[in-house]
């Protein structure tokens, strides 16, 4: 499954266009490598996503073509969530 589609279906990022934009700006790593929106995601992959001043590290648990809101969180497991201090630079 494409990275941008996974982020939208799992509801980590609400819109696919935003998911594409974030990944194409180099803010997402898959298994330690920079990823584009078209990167193929598999179960067991580790994603590191940078949102502004927050870094979210997750493990891919399930892949679905579509999902209900209450089942979306089952698609991944949060490994780490860190706030990044912005020193006004």
């Amino acid at each position: 499954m494409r990275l941008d589609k996974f982020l939208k279906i799992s509801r980590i990022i609400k819109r696919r266009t935003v998911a594409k934009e974030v990944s194409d700006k180099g803010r997402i790593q898959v298994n330690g490598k920079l990823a584009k929106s078209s990167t193929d995601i598999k179960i067991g992959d580790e994603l590191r996503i940078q949102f502004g001043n927050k870094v979210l590290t997750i493990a891919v648990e399930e892949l679905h073509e579509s999902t209900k809101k209450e089942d979306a969180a089952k698609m991944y497991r949060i490994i780490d969530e860190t706030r990044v201090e912005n020193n006004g630079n």
Side-chain angles (χ1 to χ4, degrees):
M1 175 180 287
R2 283 176 57 111
L3 174 60
D4 56 351
K5 187 172 182 181
F6 173 80
L7 293 171
K8 177 191 180 292
I9 290 173
S10 64
R11 291 176 169 80
I12 293 170
I13 296 179
K14 302 290 186 239
R15 294 197 314 269
R16 193 166 175 178
T17 51
V18 175
K20 182 178 183 344
E21 200 174 286
V22 170
S23 55
D24 289 345
K25 282 186 178 171
R27 295 186 181 168
I28 302 180
Q29 292 179 4
V30 177
N31 300 324
K33 295 182 185 147
L34 271 172
K36 295 275 186 215
S37 57
S38 59
T39 300
D40 199 35
I41 300 298
K42 300 176 294 305
I43 292 172
D45 283 351
E46 188 174 295
L47 277 60
R48 185 177 182 276
I49 309 157
Q50 186 179 339
F51 301 97
N53 63 347
K54 184 171 87 172
V55 176
L56 181 66
T57 306
I58 63 163
V60 178
E61 299 276 302
E62 300 176 13
L63 296 175
H64 300 291
E65 287 303 311
S66 65
T67 185
K68 293 184 179 125
K69 190 175 187 178
E70 54 273 10
D71 294 336
K74 294 177 186 170
M75 292 181 69
Y76 62 92
R77 175 176 45 87
I78 296 175
I79 298 170
D80 187 46
E81 193 170 346
T82 341
R83 293 189 74 77
V84 178
E85 290 301 319
N86 198 349
N87 296 335
N89 294 343

